[in-house]
Amino acid sequence: DGTGVPQDDREATRLFRRAANKVEAAAQFELARCYEVGIGMPQDDAEAARHYRLAAKQGYAKAQSNYGEFCERGMGDLPQDLGEAARYYR
C-alpha cells in the first residue's frame, strides 16, 4: 500500500537512500530494513548492519535494538560480539 499512490518499493528505497545520505537517522533505519529484507533491492545483511549502525550512533532506538541483534548473532559480516550488543541494547 503506497498510501494514496501506487506502491513502488524501488522508488521508496531510492528516497530512503537519498535521505540517509543526508544523515537522517529514521531514513538510515528504513534503508537498513530494506537491505535486511530485500525490499526494492537485493537482500544484503552487511549493508543493513552498516545503516543500522549509522542510525544507532545517532540515538535512534529501533536501530540500536536491531544493530544490537546483528552484533549478538554475528550477522551482516559482523563478528559475534555480546559486549557490543549489550552496549546497543541499553
Side-chain angles (χ1 to χ4, degrees):
D1 174 20
T3 312
V5 297
Q7 183 171 330
D8 184 342
D9 292 338
R10 286 182 185 226
E11 178 65 5
T13 55
R14 185 186 74 75
L15 294 172
F16 287 141
R17 185 175 289 114
R18 188 171 162 192
N21 287 337
K22 295 183 180 188
V23 195
E24 172 56 45
Q28 289 168 334
F29 172 79
E30 293 299 337
L31 184 58
R33 287 186 54 229
C34 291
Y35 275 116
E36 183 179 6
V37 179
I39 297 172
M41 64 183 67
Q43 191 273 340
D44 186 337
D45 279 346
E47 279 298 305
R50 187 171 82 80
H51 289 283
Y52 280 140
R53 183 173 182 268
L54 290 170
K57 290 187 97 178
Q58 294 178 68
Y60 198 79
K62 291 178 183 178
Q64 290 171 331
S65 177
N66 287 20
Y67 185 69
E69 181 179 357
F70 270 57
C71 292
E72 179 181 357
R73 295 182 179 195
M75 298 169 60
D77 294 338
L78 296 173
Q80 185 179 32
D81 186 338
L82 300 181
E84 182 77 350
R87 280 189 287 281
Y88 280 94
Y89 283 147
R90 290 179 209 187

